[in-house]
Amino acid sequence: MKSIRILLICLIVFPFIGVSQILKNIDEVTPFHEELAAVRKGDKWAFINTKGDIVIDYREDLVKSKTKNKTTSYPYFSDGRCLITQKINGIVYYGYMDITGEIVIKPEYLNATNFDNGHAIVLKVSKEELGRNDLLDKKVVSYSYDEIVIDHLGAQKTFLIGPVHLVYKKDRLRKPPMIQSYFLSPNLVASKSKDSGWQLYTLNSSN
């Protein structure tokens, strides 16, 4: 009888030892990438570690990216970088944050891929002043973009395609321009242009 009382006391004092609810009311939970997994509440995403602790709080600037199996899309880390966006004057720009949530490559690209073996492919905008319209008293400006490879700090490594003429208005950039290149291997990129078809580039080469 005494042993039964001790057992009941233990059950009251230590209920369900080893089982606890960490997060609740989550709309979506994704697989782990580099020991971090994205979780969603409404339109905001956060990242948790393998213990279930939120290490990057909920935010709206994370980019849903296709995974390698191309069947699902959600924010994830690759090479310690995760895609983010920022809208400036109605136009969306892409950049990257690190595993602490700090922006390490500022959003300045019209489109960008996830990092793969230390490199990513981005579309970088260029602006050229052609002259001045005296009648309207304003500068005549032309915009274009180049498709380039950058390293994990944002430094340009290889030029791929460009310049591609750009109508630099928010109503014409509701969707980002398509990236025409992809990594064949850690040091080899395939690019397709309208004029010259497919080209192969090795990283760090002169093009």
Side-chain angles (χ1 to χ4, degrees), residues 39-133:
V39 295
R40 180 177 62 84
K41 273 189 179 183
D43 295 329
K44 295 183 178 181
W45 291 86
F47 279 98
I48 60 172
N49 60 20
T50 54
K51 296 179 180 179
D53 301 321
I54 292 180
V55 293
I56 298 176
D57 208 356
Y58 289 96
R59 49 199 291 173
E60 296 179 324
D61 61 347
L62 303 185
V63 177
K64 292 173 60 177
S65 300
K66 284 286 186 181
T67 56
K68 288 188 176 181
N69 60 22
K70 297 183 179 180
T71 58
T72 56
S73 61
Y74 47 81
Y76 64 89
F77 278 90
S78 180
D79 290 350
R81 299 288 183 263
C82 179
L83 276 165
I84 60 171
T85 60
Q86 182 180 3
K87 185 175 285 189
I88 303 173
N89 297 326
I91 298 175
V92 175
Y93 297 89
Y94 292 76
Y96 300 87
M97 70 176 185
D98 64 15
I99 59 174
T100 69
E102 293 295 320
I103 296 175
V104 289
I105 302 176
K106 68 178 183 179
E108 61 178 358
Y109 306 114
L110 289 180
N111 205 348
T113 69
N114 285 289
F115 271 83
D116 188 2
N117 290 296
H119 296 93
I121 301 171
V122 299
L123 303 183
K124 186 174 183 179
V125 180
S126 296
K127 175 182 176 181
E128 181 183 4
E129 293 186 8
L130 302 178
R132 188 172 188 84
N133 187 320

Side-chain angles (χ1 to χ4, degrees), residues 140-174:
V140 179
V141 177
S142 174
Y143 289 93
S144 62
Y145 65 83
D146 296 318
E147 196 160 317
I148 63 174
V149 176
I150 60 171
D151 65 16
H152 72 291
L153 295 178
Q156 179 174 331
K157 304 301 292 185
T158 303
F159 172 84
L160 300 174
I161 299 171
V164 178
H165 178 68
L166 179 66
V167 180
Y168 203 55
K169 296 181 179 179
K170 63 181 180 181
D171 59 335
R172 300 293 296 271
L173 290 171
R174 292 175 182 172

Side-chain angles (χ1 to χ4, degrees), residues 21 23-29 40-42 58:
Q21 186 180 50
L23 297 174
K24 56 184 179 180
N25 300 324
I26 304 297
D27 294 320
E28 186 174 352
V29 180
R40 180 177 62 84
K41 273 189 179 183
Y58 289 96

